[in-house]
Amino acid sequence: MSTVLTDRTLSYMNINQKFADKEALLNYINGVFSCGADYVEINSGLLELLDGEDLSEKYILQICSVKDIKLCVDHKFAYVSIPADLSVFFDKLSVFQNIIAEVQSDKYSIISELLDHKEHDHFRNVSMIRLTGLLSSDEADMKALLGWCRFNFHQPIDICPLNTMLSGSSDALDAFNCDADAVSLSFGRNHYYTSFEDFLINRQIMRRSVMTPESIAALCNASLAFMKLFCTIPSGMERLAIKDGPTPSPVYDIEKGLAFRPFKPGRRKLPDNENIIERQIRTIGLEREIEDAIIDMLKKTNYSFYQNIIKRNFID
């Protein structure tokens, strides 16, 4: 079974208004499709730019408000994604659109939440269930979760792994390897959602195969289109292009009052090859300049005595 891939970047990132014309937007969308995405998820703010485009085959609308629900009457999308907590709208919305019910959870509570949703009749009108969060610790956990979902639900399961614990890429690969019906990612971003390009690169690494020239060209073209549209380097490519670049800015979830600060591991400083005398002097608590001056004085005044003390190893 083939796993469907969705890019969510356009559903939450603000595009650069200076370059936000239809051509730049379509260049990015087509670039993501060339990388292997089957769907792109957008917000309602992009509908004006996409006027005249067929949205019924490969576009998903993210619903964030009642106003967005009204748009579903006038436009046809492949799917609309809506939080499961707004299930009161499912019955009427399903008349016009295929619904993706998004359930935000974690590996400890996901089953109880899904059982709770299953009890509601309006959940039967859902076309796909998207599970968003930290859902597994390894491939065995992911396989067990998907097996349970398939036994209890008839709808396809979409896995959207978050990267708040820097495990998003491996979780996405676990879902892909366990034949999840769909995996949702985000090209160019790695702060909250999982990077699409990281997933593509790591998938090839885990397959122990090199990327084809066509795949590399597609990644480069999509990255260039991303840079023009958002005026920033895609995070997955940034680690390849800028070895010691600055830490990206935090991402804010205003509704929940949370700030997601990306972790940037610093280069580990190798310890100095200090000898016993130097270590002992460092423990006195003097200023670093004074400590260095004492060590230099010992070396200059009687270097042989200094070396003999070190060899005898009587201070530790």
Side-chain angles (χ1 to χ4, degrees):
M1 182 185 71
S2 177
T3 298
V4 170
L5 301 178
T6 299
D7 173 44
R8 302 194 64 177
T9 307
L10 291 172
S11 68
Y12 69 97
M13 272 194 73
N14 294 321
I15 61 179
N16 188 321
Q17 296 298 324
K18 184 177 179 180
F19 301 105
D21 56 22
K22 185 175 182 179
E23 181 181 1
L25 180 58
L26 289 177
N27 282 341
Y28 168 73
I29 292 173
N30 292 329
V32 172
F33 284 148
S34 297
C35 289
D38 299 283
Y39 297 96
V40 292
E41 188 165 335
I42 62 173
N43 59 46
S44 58
L46 297 177
L47 291 180
E48 185 176 351
L49 278 177
L50 292 171
D51 184 44
E53 295 296 314
D54 182 10
L55 308 177
S56 63
E57 295 292 330
K58 293 187 174 183
Y59 288 80
I60 300 172
L61 176 69
Q62 183 187 59
I63 293 179
C64 302
S65 66
V66 176
K67 183 180 178 180
D68 292 342
I69 294 177
K70 294 179 180 178
L71 292 172
C72 296
V73 179
D74 301 323
H75 299 81
K76 178 60 179 175
F77 305 95
Y79 293 93
V80 294
S81 67
I82 181 171
D85 293 337
L86 299 179
S87 57
V88 65
F89 297 105
F90 286 0
D91 292 342
K92 293 183 179 179
L93 191 58
S94 63
V95 176
F96 305 99
Q97 306 287 348
N98 297 316
I99 299 174
I100 298 176
E102 183 165 4
V103 181
Q104 293 263 356
S105 190
D106 56 61
K107 62 176 292 187
Y108 303 105
S109 59
I110 185 62
I111 290 180
S112 62
E113 289 194 30
L114 287 173
L115 287 174
D116 182 59
H117 288 301
K118 188 178 180 181
E119 294 180 359
H120 299 285
D121 291 337
H122 38 248
F123 218 67
R124 298 174 183 173
N125 296 315
V126 169
S127 299
M128 184 180 294
I129 300 173
R130 174 182 287 164
L131 307 181
T132 301
L134 304 172
L135 304 171
S136 69
S137 301
D138 51 35
E139 189 169 323
D141 280 353
M142 183 65 71
K143 185 175 182 179
L145 173 62
L146 290 172
W148 184 91
C149 291
R150 287 163 180 159
F151 183 80
N152 288 276
F153 294 90
H154 66 274
Q155 295 98 332
I157 302 298
D158 177 16
I159 300 295
C160 180
L162 300 184
N163 197 43
T164 53
M165 297 296 290
L166 302 180
S167 60
S169 186
S170 61
D171 292 344
L173 286 170
D174 288 342
F176 183 84
N177 293 333
C178 292
D179 296 324
D181 299 295
V183 175
S184 290
L185 305 157
S186 180
F187 192 96
R189 309 303 291 167
N190 205 26
H191 303 161
Y192 184 69
Y193 297 117
T194 298
S195 168
F196 195 112
E197 64 270 28
D198 266 1
F199 167 79
L200 295 176
I201 294 171
N202 289 328
R203 184 178 63 176
Q204 291 301 123
I205 292 174
M206 296 306 294
R207 288 175 173 175
R208 291 173 172 78
S209 61
V210 297
M211 299 186 73
T212 64
E214 293 78 13
S215 298
I216 296 174
L219 267 177
C220 292
N221 289 333
S223 298
L224 290 172
F226 179 95
M227 291 170 62
K228 184 173 183 180
L229 197 61
F230 299 107
C231 281
T232 183
I233 299 176
S235 63
M237 304 303 289
E238 182 179 27
R239 286 186 292 279
L240 299 178
I242 304 177
K243 185 176 181 181
D244 293 316
T247 302
S249 59
V251 176
Y252 299 97
D253 188 331
I254 298 176
E255 293 182 356
K256 297 181 180 179
L258 300 175
F260 300 96
R261 292 180 173 83
F263 172 76
K264 183 178 186 295
R267 181 179 295 177
R268 184 178 180 182
K269 184 178 179 180
L270 296 176
D272 297 330
N273 294 323
E274 292 183 337
N275 53 51
I276 300 166
I277 293 292
E278 292 174 356
R279 288 204 306 269
Q280 190 68 16
I281 292 173
R282 300 296 185 198
T283 63
I284 298 175
L286 302 173
E287 293 183 2
R288 186 59 183 260
E289 291 79 6
I290 298 176
E291 294 174 350
D292 292 340
I294 293 174
I295 293 172
D296 290 339
M297 180 184 66
L298 286 173
K299 290 180 178 180
K300 292 177 180 178
T301 55
N302 195 339
Y303 187 80
S304 60
F305 169 74
Y306 179 79
Q307 290 290 73
N308 288 333
I309 293 177
I310 296 171
K311 292 177 182 178
R312 288 174 60 185
N313 197 23
F314 69 90
I315 300 178
D316 197 356

